[in-house]
């Protein structure tokens, strides 16, 4: 029973994980495309959650029913290990100019792998704490940045930065953890808040620094936080933004590590004990390998493994027998 969780706890963890693409990446695409990406991801995840509930199993349990599904799980596991390294590499950039590579990403990956090794309940408790931290922090940042927006800069960017948009699918791993929920409930309750966060983060970023600067900066929301003033005096909120992305990064990495554990235990009995070490060592190796992979390849892979696959598996699976 120690790994049984409530649906709202899984929602909180998933929303915390979503803050990384919503605040870190999507503002570079503009508020229009950030909203479209978040809405499409929300629709896909909501549909996947409904299908999993109707079929009576989590994403991993439904995939394990057939040989084809088990091969899909193997491919997803490989992709997740690569994604762990890519995400950890990106998280090194949330402290610009600090020379944090690869220390920050490696430490976050180590912490996430260790926490996931303690079970789903341990991770969702940490996610619940982060959730309240995010609510207070982003309310503060948005509250002081909204009045400083320029109306002329709040215009939609019509050309999509398509390599950034699949990042909105990052929380799809929650569909693999529904089997741990000890009561029936919606795990997609976080989606409206996630969509609002993505649009608002992109909107204030463009409105405060201009759409051109937002699209050119590697970490546009961080750049925006430098321009926030409090009662007419410039304040340094960059450290708070970096802290928020660090906490969100832990939630995202831990979520992927939990999915890997679910897959490993399903494919081979007893393999779960080796997963924390594999998550850290193989994911850590991918921190360095990820630099050589084109952004277009990562975008297409993300769309396939965190988008199409989580929808196709429950759609094609048979109803689970109890």
């Amino acid at each position: 029973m120690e790994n049984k969780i409530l649906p709202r706890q899984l929602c909180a963890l998933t929303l915390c994980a979503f803050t990384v693409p919503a605040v870190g990446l999507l503002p570079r695409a503009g508020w229009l495309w950030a909203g479209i990406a978040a809405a499409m991801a929300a629709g896909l995840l909501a549909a996947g959650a409904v299908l999993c509930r109707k079929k009576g199993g989590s994403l991993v349990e439904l995939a394990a029913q057939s040989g084809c599904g088990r091969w899909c799980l193997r491919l997803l596991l490989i992709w997740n290990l690569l994604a762990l390294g890519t995400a950890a590499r990106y998280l090194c950039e949330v402290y610009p100019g600090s020379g944090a590579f690869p220390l920050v990403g490696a430490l976050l990956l180590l912490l996430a792998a260790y926490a996931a090794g303690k079970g789903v309940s341990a991770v969702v408790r940490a996610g619940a704490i982060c959730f309240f931290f995010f609510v207070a922090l982003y309310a503060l940042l948005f509250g002081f940045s909204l009045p400083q927006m320029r109306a002329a800069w709040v215009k939609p960017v019509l050309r999509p930065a398509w390599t950034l948009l699949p990042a909105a699918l990052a929380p799809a791993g929650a569909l693999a953890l529904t089997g741990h929920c000890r009561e029936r409930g919606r795990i997609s309750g976080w989606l409206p808040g996630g969509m609002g966060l993505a649009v608002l983060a992109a909107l204030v970023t463009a409105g405060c620094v201009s759409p051109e600067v937002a699209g050119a900066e590697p970490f546009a929301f961080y750049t925006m936080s430098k321009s926030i003033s409090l009662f007419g005096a410039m304040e340094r909120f960059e450290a708070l933004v970096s802290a928020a992305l660090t906490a969100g990064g832990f939630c995202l990495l831990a979520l992927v590590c939990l999915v890997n554990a679910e897959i490993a235990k399903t494919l081979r009995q007893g393999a779960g004990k080796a997963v924390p070490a594999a998550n850290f060592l193989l994911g850590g190796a991918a921190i360095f390998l990820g630099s050589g992979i084109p952004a277009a390849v990562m975008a297409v892979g993300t769309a396939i493994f965190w988008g199409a696959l989580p929808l196709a598996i429950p759609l094609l699976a048979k109803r689970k027998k109890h």
Side-chain angles (χ1 to χ4, degrees):
M1 292 294 292
E2 62 178 5
N3 276 326
K4 291 297 181 180
I5 59 176
L6 296 173
R8 64 175 179 269
Q9 292 177 310
L10 186 55
C11 284
L13 175 66
T14 309
L15 179 58
C16 292
F18 184 67
T19 60
V20 176
V23 175
L25 291 172
L26 293 181
R28 294 170 54 192
W31 62 266
L32 174 63
W33 291 105
I36 291 174
M40 292 183 66
L44 186 147
L45 292 172
V50 170
L51 288 170
C52 285
R53 186 165 62 250
K54 286 185 176 180
K55 296 297 177 72
S58 70
L59 185 71
V60 175
E61 291 170 341
L62 295 175
Q65 295 177 4
S66 65
C68 180
R70 295 177 74 87
W71 272 108
C72 287
L73 290 180
R74 293 185 179 95
L75 293 175
L76 178 59
L77 179 59
I78 295 172
W79 174 259
N80 281 353
L81 291 171
L82 178 61
L84 278 177
T86 303
R89 185 181 183 88
Y90 168 75
L91 291 170
C92 296
E93 300 176 8
V94 302
Y95 296 92
S98 65
F101 178 82
L103 183 60
V104 170
L107 287 177
L108 278 176
L109 182 56
L110 176 62
L111 183 61
Y114 175 78
K118 294 296 182 180
V120 178
S121 59
V123 176
V124 297
R125 285 197 297 268
I129 295 171
C130 291
F131 172 78
F132 292 106
F133 167 66
F134 289 145
V135 169
L137 177 60
Y138 286 120
L140 174 69
L141 291 173
F142 291 142
F144 287 112
S145 60
L146 283 171
Q148 300 176 50
M149 295 171 57
R150 298 187 184 182
W153 286 346
V154 184
K155 56 183 180 181
V157 176
L158 300 180
R159 185 178 180 181
W162 70 271
T163 57
L164 299 173
L165 303 185
L169 298 166
L175 296 175
L177 305 178
T178 56
H180 291 276
C181 294
R182 62 169 174 254
E183 62 183 44
R184 292 178 64 87
R186 296 182 181 273
I187 67 159
S188 53
W190 64 276
L191 293 176
M195 289 188 291
L197 175 65
V199 173
L200 195 56
L203 192 65
V204 298
T205 300
C208 290
V209 300
S210 83
E212 293 75 18
V213 174
E217 288 288 330
F219 193 179
F221 192 83
Y222 181 92
T223 302
M224 183 279 299
S225 68
K226 295 180 180 180
S227 64
I228 298 178
S229 61
L230 182 59
F231 304 118
M234 297 296 293
E235 299 292 342
R236 303 303 297 266
F237 287 99
E238 303 97 293
L240 292 178
V241 175
S242 295
L245 266 295
T246 300
F250 162 77
C251 293
L252 176 59
L253 295 176
L255 178 62
V256 178
C257 288
L258 287 174
V259 176
N260 291 348
E262 290 295 305
I263 295 174
K265 288 185 291 186
T266 300
L267 293 177
R268 186 172 182 179
Q269 189 175 6
K273 296 180 180 179
V275 174
N279 278 329
F280 175 65
L281 295 176
L282 297 179
I287 294 177
F288 302 94
L289 296 175
S291 61
I293 302 176
V297 173
M298 291 300 302
V300 172
T302 301
I304 293 172
F305 289 102
W306 289 357
L309 200 63
L311 184 60
I313 288 175
L315 189 63
L316 300 176
K318 297 179 181 179
R319 186 180 295 272
K320 187 180 178 184
K321 296 180 180 180
H322 295 282

